């Protein structure tokens, strides 16, 4: 290694010039900040307070006291800074730089050899060591300054001062600092010759505009929103400055123009002038706040259950605050006949709040009013609706009255519709009470022809008796409301029904759908009733499947049943769905007569059909067993409810003959319901229904010995047992079924407690809730079973019997062997086609001559005759 001389040492240290200079500068900044941070904190805090103008809102004496404290703080922190601050030396910078290098190479370069100076070998080693240290020193980097002073400022006072100063920069003004000079002793003499003023223009909060400091606004035009508050403060000799303005429109008592404190609101364009030394004049232009706009977008739409949807749009320059819709009876458009002929009772307008957006901008939006007015006396009557919008300035605007029919639920069962019509007449005027009672008695004159359940007949009789009794003494408003509520509940029960027999439910759904088509129901109502028909059809198919399964298990297929099955049609579920899709298509095309005829044909086919069975396993699945058990529980609960209702009647009419209660299905807890209804199905399912009825007889026979409460408790225990064996656990449908059955159980517990206290009215309410929850549970369980079947069918092949069943046409015939569409069988199965065609033509002519048929059907028949 070459020798390393002192000259090389100096050259190595000279190479550290820039890292050393930067390190020394950092040390200077570090020492300066550590010494002056208290002074900077105090200065920023004092400036922030002065810029915010806090000195103008407190007493002068307090300002003087705080000024002395601030001066002492500044002096103290300045002395602290002078004593703490030291300019860093070059040697101190070398030491800090050397501390960052391994082995302290800079110190090694400045050291002298102390031992062995005369020894050549020792000197060579020393020079080699210095050469290595020079190489390390050449890699030195500037040391950054350490500006952290958290240990010296544990309460972060410096950050507080910076925050206050930032607020002052945003909301304050640097010109306010000069107002301190006017508070000094002897400054009052100067005010006499140089008065000052301050002013603010505060916009209404809802506009979102900031407050304007008028001292910063030059003379000339000034735009402010309507309703802005102008605040002016005059300082100095009273009268040296005066205020003149034409924007407030103030009349009456107006403060003097020289009043030191003046506040007024801008309501019109004009001028604001501060007259005197240093005064200014502004030409104020008011930014108008327009009234909100609101409009109805379209006519109301109603769902099948009567819920109304009325779309509207609203806008405002600063946002709509609230709105409401007012519905008033349009008496001039009401068809004043029958119960509506007399003058109606005065009723207040229907007032509902309009929905407003929860989030987002309210300056312009579209919403929809969704309400259900089905139970209101004006439902399905002409009304006028006026929508009103309100903004934050309490400006209001409203739409022109819009004529419409107030949507409400429509009843398609004739008996339910009659009760609802008489309910409307009763609510129209109390003077209709006697007339309503007479009409209801006439409607219920032959109860066997119009009532499906005896309990509905009893409930209507109770309503008629109460109505006649109260009408003789004069109805009160409370009695009128109670009667209308009872009539609504009765009509709803008749309309929706509570039938456990699938065939009767199917007939009921078809009758309601036909009546809806005749009455010109809306598409939403038609769609809802069509869905009800599909559900009833599915239930009927499941009942037939269970019946066929029980027959096979019991070996009860005799020769007579075999002969009947030869005459019955065979249809698959897909065939039925296709027929119903065709019916819905006809209704959508407006071909109502054809749709009604197809409905009747579908009903006849379903009542005489035979369900094709696949090659599944023998016996019922757990889901089918659970569904059958829940259906039996529902029948038992209905029977208990009927018995509770009869007992409630006996409380009010203890002299009733015991013979009237004989035959009440409620006495046996619902026994025989399936048998009675199945008789209308031309013998279908009779054997299975008798078996179900026999099981109900056995249960009722064991329960009839106890009271209604004991029987209700036994039914609750049976429901608990059924809940433990429900399928579909873990699926959304299965969980929904369990939740519904839990609600049914709680309602049964409430009914049992009410029965033990002889509170039959409360018991009937709880039993109704239990039955509704049971129905929901059965619907959810059916969906769970259907989902399981779909999952089980995925990935599996289709058996030959299933393929042949799917290929059958709606009449149950197999397709041709060639695989084409159609069938090789004769359409009329060997019957004389010409004779059959002549019979059809004669039947069409006979029906076309019947003038009592609907016009739509007659037109259709005439078109057929013209064509053939």
């Amino acid at each position: 290694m070459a020798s390393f001389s002192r000259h090389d040492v100096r050259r190595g240290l000279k190479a550290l010039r820039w890292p050393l200079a930067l390190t020394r500068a950092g040390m200077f900044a570090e020492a300066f900040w550590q010494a002056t941070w208290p002074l900077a904190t105090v200065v920023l805090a004092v400036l922030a307070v002065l810029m915010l103008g806090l000195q103008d809102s407190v007493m002068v004496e307090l300002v003087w006291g705080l000024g002395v404290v601030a001066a002492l703080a500044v002096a103290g922190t300045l002395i602290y800074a002078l004593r703490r601050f030291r300019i860093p030396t070059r040697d101190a910078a070398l030491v800090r730089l050397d501390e960052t290098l391994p082995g302290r190479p800079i110190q090694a370069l400045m050291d002298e050899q102390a031992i062995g100076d005369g020894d050549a070998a020792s000197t060579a080693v020393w020079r080699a060591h210095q050469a290595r240290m020079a190489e390390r020193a050449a890699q030195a980097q500037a040391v950054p300054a350490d500006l952290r002073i958290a240990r010296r400022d544990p309460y972060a006072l410096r950050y507080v001062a910076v925050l206050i100063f930032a607020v002052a920069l945003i909301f304050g003004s640097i010109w306010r600092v000069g107002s301190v000079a006017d508070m000094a002793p002897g400054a009052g003499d100067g005010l006499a010759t140089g008065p000052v003023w301050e002013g603010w223009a505060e916009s209404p909060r809802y506009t979102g505009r900031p407050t304007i400091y008028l001292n910063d606004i030059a003379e000339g035009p000034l735009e402010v929103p309507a309703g802005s508050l102008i605040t002016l403060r005059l300082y100095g000799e009273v009268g040296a400055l005066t205020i003149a303005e034409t924007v407030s429109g103030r009349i009456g008592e107006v403060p003097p123009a020289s009043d030191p404190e003046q506040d007024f609101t801008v309501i019109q364009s004009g001028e604001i002038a501060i007259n005197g030394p240093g005064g200014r004049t502004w030409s104020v232009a008011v930014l108008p706040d327009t009234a909100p706009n609101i409009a109805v977008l379209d006519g109301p739409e109603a769902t099948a259950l009567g819920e109304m949807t009325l779309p509207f749009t609203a806008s405002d320059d600063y946002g709509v605050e609230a709105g409401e819709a007012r519905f008033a009876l349009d008496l001039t458009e009401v068809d004043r006949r029958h119960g509506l002929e007399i003058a109606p009772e005065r009723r207040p307008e229907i007032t509902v709040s309009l929905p407003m957006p929860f989030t987002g901008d309210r300056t312009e939006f579209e919403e929809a009013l969704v309400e259900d007015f089905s139970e209101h006396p004006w439902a399905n009557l002409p009304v006028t609706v006026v929508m009103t919008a309100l903004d934050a300035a309490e400006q209001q605007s409203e739409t022109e009255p819009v004529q419409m029919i107030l949507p409400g639920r429509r009843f398609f069962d004739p008996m339910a519709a009659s009760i609802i019509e008489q309910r409307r007449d009763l609510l129209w005027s109390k003077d209709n009470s006697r007339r309503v009672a007479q009409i209801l008695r006439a409607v219920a004159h032959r109860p066997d022809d119009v009532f499906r359940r005896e309990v509905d007949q009893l409930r209507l009789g109770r309503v008629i008796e109460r109505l006649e009794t109260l009408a003789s003494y004069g109805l009160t408003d409370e009695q009128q409301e109670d009667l209308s509520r009872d009539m609504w509940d009765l009509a709803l029960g008749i309309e929706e029904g509570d039938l456990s027999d699938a065939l009767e439910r199917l007939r009921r759904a078809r009758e309601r759908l036909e009546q809806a088509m005749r009455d010109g129901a809306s598409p939403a109502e038609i769609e809802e009733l069509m869905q009800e028909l599909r559900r009833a059809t599915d239930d009927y198919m499941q009942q037939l499947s269970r019946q066929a399964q029980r027959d096979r298990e019991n070996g009860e297929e005799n020769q007579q049943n075999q002969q009947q099955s030869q005459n019955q049609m065979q249809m698959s579920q897909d065939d039925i769905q296709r027929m119903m899709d065709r019916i819905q298509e006809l209704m959508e095309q407006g071909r109502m007569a054809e749709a009604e005829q197809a409905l009747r044909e579908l009903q006849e086919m379903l009542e005489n059909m035979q369900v094709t069975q696949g090659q599944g396993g023998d016996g019922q699945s757990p889901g089918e067993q659970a569904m059958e058990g829940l259906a039996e529980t529902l029948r038992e609960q209905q029977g208990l409810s009927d018995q509770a209702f009869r007992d409630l009647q006996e409380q009010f009419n203890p002299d009733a003959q015991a013979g009237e209660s004989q035959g009440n299905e409620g006495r046996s807890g619902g026994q025989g319901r399936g048998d009675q209804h199945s008789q209308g199905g031309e013998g279908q399912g009779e054997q299975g229904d008798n078996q179900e009825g026999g099981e109900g007889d056995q249960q009722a026979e064991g329960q009839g010995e106890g009271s209604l409460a004991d029987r209700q408790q036994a039914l609750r225990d049976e429901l608990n047992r059924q809940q433990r064996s429900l399928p579909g656990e873990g699926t959304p449908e299965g969980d929904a079924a369990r939740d519904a059955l839990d609600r049914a159980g709680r309602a049964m517990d409430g009914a049992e407690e009410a029965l033990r206290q002889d509170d039959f009215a409360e018991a009937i309410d709880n039993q109704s809730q239990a039955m509704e929850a049971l129905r929901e549970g059965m619907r959810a369980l059916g969906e769970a079973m259907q989902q399981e079947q779909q999952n089980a069918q995925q990935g599996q092949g289709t058996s030959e019997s299933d393929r042949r069943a799917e290929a059958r046409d709606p009449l149950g015939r197999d397709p041709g062997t060639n695989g084409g569409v159609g069938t090789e069988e004769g359409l009329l199965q060997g019957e004389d086609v010409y004779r059959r065609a002549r019979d059809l033509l004669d039947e069409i002519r006979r029906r076309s001559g019947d003038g009592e048929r609907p016009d739509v059907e007659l037109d259709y028949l005439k078109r057929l005759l013209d064509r053939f």
Side-chain angles (χ1 to χ4, degrees):
M1 178 179 292
S3 63
F4 193 80
S5 63
R6 291 182 177 275
H7 177 71
D8 295 329
V9 171
R10 289 193 297 270
R11 187 173 57 186
L13 293 177
K14 187 176 181 181
L16 298 174
R17 179 179 58 184
W18 283 111
L20 182 62
L22 294 176
T23 301
R24 189 176 181 185
M27 294 177 64
F28 182 89
E30 179 181 330
F32 181 81
W33 173 239
Q34 291 179 354
T36 60
W37 74 265
L39 178 62
T41 301
V42 173
V43 171
L44 287 177
V46 172
L47 282 176
V49 170
L50 295 178
M51 291 170 64
L52 290 173
L54 299 181
Q55 70 277 8
D56 299 330
S57 59
V58 297
M59 296 183 298
V60 177
E61 292 78 4
L62 182 59
V63 175
W64 292 347
L66 293 176
V68 172
V69 173
L72 292 176
V74 170
T77 54
L78 181 60
I79 294 174
Y80 174 83
L82 293 176
R83 295 183 61 182
R84 292 279 302 179
F85 179 71
R86 294 291 183 272
I87 298 177
T89 62
R90 182 176 182 276
D91 293 339
L94 282 174
V95 171
R96 173 170 290 193
L97 187 62
D98 194 22
E99 289 175 349
T100 61
L101 299 174
R104 296 290 185 94
I106 298 177
Q107 183 64 40
L109 291 176
M110 293 187 297
D111 288 344
E112 297 289 341
Q113 184 178 3
I115 301 175
D117 188 19
D119 186 4
S122 176
T123 300
V125 172
W126 173 252
R127 297 302 180 192
H129 172 66
Q130 283 190 321
R132 287 195 297 270
M133 292 300 102
E135 292 177 358
R136 292 183 182 179
Q139 300 175 0
Q141 300 290 333
V143 181
D146 185 9
L147 302 179
R148 294 173 295 179
I149 57 173
R151 291 187 300 105
R152 303 174 184 270
D153 184 17
Y155 299 105
L157 297 178
R158 62 193 186 281
Y159 293 133
V160 175
V162 171
L163 176 62
I164 298 175
F165 186 72
V167 172
L169 288 176
I170 297 173
F171 299 101
S173 174
I174 192 64
W175 303 108
R176 294 188 179 183
V177 179
S179 63
V180 180
D182 300 334
M183 300 181 182
D189 298 337
L191 289 175
T193 58
V196 294
W197 57 272
E198 277 189 306
W200 299 268
E202 183 180 358
S203 301
R205 184 173 299 178
Y206 65 83
T207 62
R209 297 169 64 93
T211 300
I212 301 174
Y213 186 56
L214 296 178
N215 295 64
D216 296 338
I217 305 300
E219 286 189 334
L222 174 63
E223 292 185 346
V224 294
S228 297
L229 177 64
I230 304 298
T231 303
L232 295 174
R233 297 293 181 264
L234 308 180
Y235 307 108
E237 183 180 356
V238 176
L241 294 174
T242 59
I243 297 175
E245 55 86 14
T246 59
V247 296
S248 66
R250 293 179 293 179
I251 58 176
E253 279 191 32
V254 180
S258 59
D259 194 343
E261 298 182 1
Q262 297 193 32
D263 303 312
F264 50 88
T265 302
V266 177
I267 62 173
Q268 61 187 15
S269 300
E271 285 190 353
I272 299 177
I274 302 177
N275 302 316
R280 295 179 192 174
T281 301
W282 297 279
S283 178
V284 179
V286 174
L287 298 175
D289 184 356
T290 59
N293 294 321
I294 186 169
V296 179
L297 290 179
D298 201 356
E301 296 181 358
T303 63
L305 298 180
E307 189 176 64
M308 179 197 72
T309 301
L310 185 61
F312 68 93
T313 179
S315 62
D316 185 69
D317 47 1
Y318 293 113
V320 179
E321 285 292 312
E324 67 178 16
R326 301 192 307 274
F327 296 86
L329 181 65
D330 191 0
L331 199 57
T332 59
E333 297 295 327
V334 176
D335 187 6
R336 304 293 298 276
R337 294 187 299 170
H338 307 300
L340 306 181
E341 186 176 359
I342 64 177
E345 296 178 356
R346 296 181 60 86
R347 289 187 179 274
E349 294 181 339
I350 305 174
T351 303
V352 293
S353 298
L354 295 179
M356 294 288 129
F358 288 105
T359 59
D361 192 10
R362 289 191 182 183
T363 56
E364 186 174 2
F365 61 91
E366 292 183 6
E367 278 286 349
L369 173 63
V370 180
E371 291 288 342
D372 189 357
F373 299 110
S374 297
E375 297 187 45
H376 196 273
W378 298 343
N380 297 314
L381 289 178
V383 296
T384 58
V385 59
V386 175
M387 288 190 175
T388 304
L390 183 73
D391 64 4
E394 298 186 356
Q395 298 182 101
Q396 182 174 311
S397 63
E398 60 183 27
T399 63
E400 293 294 329
V402 178
Q403 293 182 334
M404 56 178 282
I405 300 296
L406 186 64
R409 176 164 183 164
R410 299 177 63 185
F411 289 77
F412 300 105
D413 185 274
M415 189 64 196
S418 301
I419 295 175
I420 289 299
E421 181 180 359
Q422 298 311 308
R423 174 184 178 271
R424 180 204 63 187
D425 294 348
L426 179 61
L427 292 174
W428 182 266
S429 175
K430 299 184 185 69
D431 296 337
N432 281 329
S433 55
R434 295 184 182 276
R435 178 181 179 276
V436 169
Q438 292 175 355
I439 294 178
L440 290 179
R441 279 200 178 277
V443 170
H445 176 58
R446 294 185 177 180
D448 296 338
D449 298 337
V450 295
F451 289 104
R452 295 181 176 86
R453 297 189 308 161
E454 184 181 358
V455 65
D456 294 333
Q457 172 191 350
L458 297 174
R459 292 177 64 183
L460 181 58
R462 180 62 181 165
V463 169
I464 295 174
E465 291 176 2
R466 286 187 58 200
L467 184 57
E468 290 176 341
T469 303
L470 296 175
S472 60
Y473 297 99
L475 282 176
T476 64
D477 292 340
E478 293 77 9
Q479 294 168 347
Q480 184 187 36
E481 290 296 328
D482 291 342
L483 285 170
S484 67
R485 191 177 303 110
D486 293 341
M487 295 173 70
W488 174 268
D489 295 338
L490 175 58
L492 199 62
I494 295 175
E495 174 76 11
E496 295 181 348
D498 188 22
L499 305 175
S500 57
D501 186 80
L503 180 57
E504 186 64 24
R505 233 180 11 257
L506 179 62
R507 292 173 180 167
R508 181 75 166 277
R510 179 186 63 80
E511 291 172 0
R512 292 180 63 191
L513 184 56
E514 287 182 352
Q515 188 65 35
M517 289 189 291
R518 297 190 195 103
D519 295 346
S522 65
E525 293 171 327
I526 294 291
E527 177 66 24
E528 178 66 23
L529 294 174
M530 193 66 194
Q531 292 299 326
E532 181 181 347
L533 178 63
R534 292 178 186 272
R535 290 192 295 267
T537 304
D538 293 341
D539 293 343
Y540 180 61
M541 295 285 288
Q542 292 177 6
Q543 188 185 65
L544 286 181
S545 299
R546 292 193 297 267
Q547 177 66 33
Q549 184 67 30
R550 285 196 297 267
D551 291 344
R552 286 196 302 272
E553 290 176 356
N554 298 331
E556 297 177 355
E557 293 186 8
N558 52 28
Q559 184 66 25
Q560 180 180 359
N561 290 337
Q562 292 178 2
Q563 292 176 357
Q564 291 178 356
S565 64
Q566 293 176 0
N567 298 326
Q568 292 172 340
M569 297 181 180
Q570 292 186 351
M571 300 179 67
S572 66
Q573 185 72 22
D574 292 338
D575 297 332
I576 297 175
Q577 292 298 329
R578 282 193 293 270
M579 292 186 69
M580 286 194 291
D581 292 340
R582 176 57 179 167
I583 293 171
Q584 188 166 2
E585 181 181 353
L586 291 173
M587 289 188 294
E588 292 174 353
Q589 294 175 358
R591 300 157 66 180
M592 296 302 179
E594 299 177 56
E596 288 186 30
Q597 182 63 27
L599 269 177
R600 296 191 188 96
E601 294 176 358
L602 176 62
Q603 178 73 21
E604 294 175 0
M605 292 179 182
L606 289 174
E607 291 181 1
N608 295 278
M609 71 179 294
Q610 186 180 57
V611 179
T612 58
Q613 300 292 332
Q615 296 179 357
D618 296 334
Q620 288 180 307
S621 66
E624 292 175 344
Q625 295 175 357
M627 185 70 77
E628 185 174 355
L630 291 177
E632 182 65 26
T633 302
L634 179 59
R635 286 193 292 270
E636 293 288 339
Q637 183 62 77
Q638 180 62 61
L640 290 177
S641 179
D642 293 345
Q643 179 60 41
F645 184 80
R646 180 172 291 276
D647 291 346
L648 177 63
Q649 276 200 323
E650 291 176 356
Q651 281 187 345
F652 291 96
N653 189 11
D655 296 333
Q657 297 180 359
E660 295 178 358
S661 62
Q662 295 177 0
N664 178 22
E665 61 187 4
R667 293 290 186 185
S668 61
Q671 62 182 352
R673 290 174 56 86
D675 297 338
Q676 180 181 358
H677 293 146
S678 63
Q679 292 173 2
E682 300 182 10
Q684 291 303 312
E686 181 178 354
Q687 186 175 0
D689 291 339
N690 288 334
Q691 291 176 1
E692 292 179 3
E695 294 173 2
D697 294 339
Q698 294 173 2
Q699 293 179 3
E701 185 178 352
Q703 296 173 359
E705 299 175 356
S707 63
L708 282 178
D710 296 335
R711 292 165 61 186
Q712 184 68 69
Q713 182 181 3
L715 192 61
R716 175 69 169 101
D717 297 339
E718 175 65 17
L719 180 62
N720 287 336
R721 185 192 65 78
Q722 294 171 353
Q723 285 182 268
R724 291 192 293 269
S725 60
L726 284 181
E729 185 175 1
T731 63
E733 296 83 1
D735 294 341
R738 285 172 170 78
D739 293 341
L741 295 183
D742 288 339
R743 295 197 304 271
R746 290 193 295 270
M748 288 182 180
D749 292 337
E752 176 193 350
E753 182 179 356
L755 287 173
R756 296 193 185 280
Q757 298 175 0
D758 292 336
D759 188 356
F760 294 107
E762 180 67 22
I764 292 173
D765 290 340
N766 286 310
Q767 289 169 341
S768 299
Q769 296 175 10
M771 289 187 288
E772 181 62 28
L774 282 172
R775 295 189 200 98
E776 293 181 8
M778 293 174 66
R779 283 195 293 269
L781 182 59
E783 295 175 359
M785 293 170 56
Q786 184 178 4
Q787 186 65 31
E788 288 182 356
Q789 293 175 359
Q790 293 177 356
N791 295 336
Q793 292 175 359
Q794 291 179 357
Q796 297 181 359
T798 305
S799 64
E800 181 64 23
S801 62
D802 292 338
R803 287 194 296 268
R804 291 181 64 85
E806 292 177 358
R808 291 192 182 100
D809 64 2
L811 298 179
R813 299 168 301 177
D814 292 332
T817 57
N818 296 329
V821 179
T823 177
E824 297 176 355
E825 301 177 7
L827 179 64
L828 298 176
Q829 303 294 326
E831 188 177 344
D832 185 0
V833 294
Y834 298 101
R835 181 185 59 79
R836 181 57 178 161
R838 185 172 59 253
D839 293 342
L840 290 175
L841 187 59
D842 293 339
E843 180 63 17
I844 293 174
R845 288 171 178 169
R846 185 188 65 80
R847 294 189 180 188
S848 63
D850 188 357
E852 295 181 359
R853 293 184 176 275
D855 295 337
V856 177
E857 183 178 354
L858 293 176
D859 293 339
Y860 172 68
L861 294 173
K862 290 178 181 179
R863 290 198 304 270
L864 288 178
L865 291 175
D866 293 339
R867 183 174 181 180
F868 298 101

